[in-house]
Amino acid sequence: MEITPDHIIYWQSGFFKLNATLVFSWVTMLVLVFMAGWVTRHLAVGPDRISRWQHGVEIIVTAMRDQIGDASRQDARPFLPFIGTLFLFIATANIIEIIPGLMSPAASLSTTLALALCVFIAVPLFGIQSLGWGRYLQHYIEPTPVMLPFNLISELSRTIALAIRLFGNVMSTSLLVAILLSIVPLFFPVVMQAFGLLVGVIQAYVFAILAMVYIASGMRRQQAKTDAADATVASEGQA
Amino acid sequence: MLIDWFTVIAQIINFLILLFLLHRFLYQPILKTIDQRQDQMQARWDAAEAEQVKAAAAAKEYHQAQRALEAQREQLLSQAQAEAAALRHQEVQQAQAELAHKRQQWATALAHEQHSLLTDLQAEFGAQMVAIVRRVLQDIANTDLEAQTVYAFQQKLRGLDDGQRRAIATAFADHPVTVQTSDDLSEASQAALCQTLRETHLLNGQAIHFERSPQLLCGIRLQNDAYDLAWSAEDYLQALEKTMRSAQSDSHSQGQSARS
């Protein structure tokens, strides 16, 4: 039994290879893009002409927007594409696992690491977009420049933890189902498969919320310091 | 090794592509639709609020108009009531005036009728009284009324004092005298009357002319152009009429006080 779909290789030419992770990722992407395009092809504005599919998609999008807003305490619109895509990709990848013959690409550490790296890159990008280069990079050397290595290690460890948490959960669920299937071949694996669906969606939610929290905490921490400094300057000016 | 770096890079690229595609085909259209719906609902809400404000203004205007109409109605009602009262007062006054006029007319007519009735009654009564007296005198005293009238007139003439006699004699002097009676006098009565006039020196040889005057009720009148001396039962009748009028007046005043 393969622990990760990376090891299922369909084609390889030197460094380039076509493994199950990439194939199932494309399947996931196709499903998502096809459904999105199909639902949004005829969108209705009037509340009395909305289709059930549009209702469902609007519920998902607005739920994600509300969750992002709650987690970030900011306007959710700039973060929705990134965080929403993380959630939908991981959730869909975990859901398609119930189809026989398909595996979740999230069960690959390469995939979760790739997603964690995306978060790792997105955190400074959103911070710089919000605060500017200087003010964002300043927090790496605070309270003293001595803290720079520790701050960098913190960022890296957070990214690695994010990747391994998702990989471990998804992989362990798949592995657990496989083991149970070999021990108790009837009935119980079905229950565990359903449980795996729930765990997969929860993991997608946790990953997306953690990513949002990382992005928002970086922005908010620097923003709080800036606001406090502005308030101090203002009070001194009044005095 | 669990990490395949080619797969990592490929997955990063896959994720970015998926991010772009979902942004293009999912988030953008869905959020745009939601925003449009929100704008539409906001527009409807604003329109509804504007309509509500308009409706409130219209309701206020309606209430004001209703109050104005109510005030106008009250004013018209009070004006109509005042006009009705004035008209009623005027009609009552007019009716009272008309009633007073009718009453006046009725009283005048009644007085006129009463006067004519009394006059007729007096004439009839006088005639009847004369006839009765004549018959009574004829039946009881075996004498006629004219003779008794002449006798009574003679007594009256003899009863005059000297001053009255002189004044009458002066008035009758040098003028013919006419003696009027209600009925023709007998020659004896005429002679007796002439005798008395001469004895009392009321006449001194003037011509005396006798004539009949039916209007003179049981009496004698001496007259010429300067003086008129008469005695008749008309005085009694006038006293009787006066008594009757007084009795009628008392009866009328008692009737009015009883009605009031």
Side-chain angles (χ1 to χ4, degrees), chain A residues 124 127-128 131-142 148 151-152 222:
Chain A
I128 290 166
L131 304 170
W133 280 97
R135 287 168 63 185
Y136 177 75
L137 293 177
Q138 194 179 357
H139 86 276
Y140 284 105
I141 55 170
E142 286 182 348
L148 177 64
N151 284 328
L152 291 176
Q222 197 63 23

Side-chain angles (χ1 to χ4, degrees), chain A residues 5-27, chain B residues 4 6-7 10-11 14:
Chain A
D6 287 355
H7 294 162
I8 303 172
I9 299 173
Y10 300 115
W11 175 82
Q12 185 168 13
S13 173
F15 182 67
F16 299 100
K17 63 184 75 167
L18 183 63
N19 54 24
T21 303
L22 292 177
V23 171
F24 297 142
S25 295
W26 290 341
V27 170
Chain B
D4 179 22
F6 171 74
T7 307
Q11 287 293 69
N14 283 338

Side-chain angles (χ1 to χ4, degrees), chain A residues 16-17 19 21-22 25-26 29 40 43-45 50 54 57-58 62 77 80-81 84-85 89 110-111 114, chain B residues 1-8 10-12 14-15 18-19 23 25-27 29-31 33-37:
Chain A
F16 299 100
K17 63 184 75 167
N19 54 24
T21 303
L22 292 177
S25 295
W26 290 341
M29 288 166 64
T40 59
L43 287 175
V45 177
I50 301 175
Q54 185 180 343
V57 172
E58 283 189 10
T62 51
R77 192 167 289 246
L80 178 63
T85 305
F89 178 73
S110 302
T111 302
Chain B
M1 185 177 178
L2 290 175
I3 299 174
D4 179 22
W5 290 105
F6 171 74
T7 307
V8 171
Q11 287 293 69
I12 291 173
N14 283 338
F15 179 74
L18 181 64
L19 176 65
H23 182 63
F25 291 110
L26 182 65
Y27 305 122
I30 289 290
L31 291 177
T33 304
I34 291 173
D35 288 344
Q36 284 177 346
R37 189 179 304 131

Side-chain angles (χ1 to χ4, degrees), chain B residues 7-104:
Chain B
T7 307
V8 171
I9 295 168
Q11 287 293 69
I12 291 173
I13 294 170
N14 283 338
F15 179 74
L16 292 177
I17 291 171
L18 181 64
L19 176 65
F20 170 76
L21 290 175
L22 287 184
H23 182 63
R24 170 74 179 77
F25 291 110
L26 182 65
Y27 305 122
Q28 215 169 19
I30 289 290
L31 291 177
K32 188 179 174 186
T33 304
I34 291 173
D35 288 344
Q36 284 177 346
R37 189 179 304 131
Q38 190 71 27
D39 291 344
Q40 207 173 51
M41 289 169 66
Q42 186 64 40
R44 285 185 186 178
W45 182 263
D46 292 343
E49 280 190 335
E51 288 293 327
Q52 199 173 10
V53 169
K54 201 187 293 182
K60 189 178 177 184
E61 192 176 343
Y62 168 74
H63 286 307
Q64 283 179 346
Q66 197 177 20
R67 280 197 292 272
L69 278 175
E70 190 70 22
Q72 190 177 3
R73 190 182 75 86
E74 291 292 333
Q75 185 183 359
L76 286 174
L77 189 62
S78 59
Q79 188 177 350
Q81 283 175 343
E83 285 179 359
L87 187 62
R88 178 172 166 275
H89 182 67
Q90 184 182 353
E91 290 288 333
V92 167
Q93 278 190 334
Q94 192 173 350
Q96 284 177 344
E98 196 171 342
L99 184 64
H101 180 66
K102 293 265 185 192
R103 186 177 291 169
Q104 183 67 31

Side-chain angles (χ1 to χ4, degrees), chain B residues 72-138:
Chain B
Q72 190 177 3
R73 190 182 75 86
E74 291 292 333
Q75 185 183 359
L76 286 174
L77 189 62
S78 59
Q79 188 177 350
Q81 283 175 343
E83 285 179 359
L87 187 62
R88 178 172 166 275
H89 182 67
Q90 184 182 353
E91 290 288 333
V92 167
Q93 278 190 334
Q94 192 173 350
Q96 284 177 344
E98 196 171 342
L99 184 64
H101 180 66
K102 293 265 185 192
R103 186 177 291 169
Q104 183 67 31
Q105 279 184 339
W106 174 78
T108 306
L110 184 65
H112 181 70
E113 192 173 349
Q114 188 179 19
H115 178 71
S116 63
L117 177 65
L118 286 174
T119 305
D120 293 345
L121 192 62
Q122 182 185 3
E124 183 67 23
F125 191 79
Q128 290 295 328
M129 188 189 73
V130 169
I132 290 168
V133 169
R134 178 176 286 124
R135 183 172 293 174
V136 167
L137 288 174
Q138 186 70 37

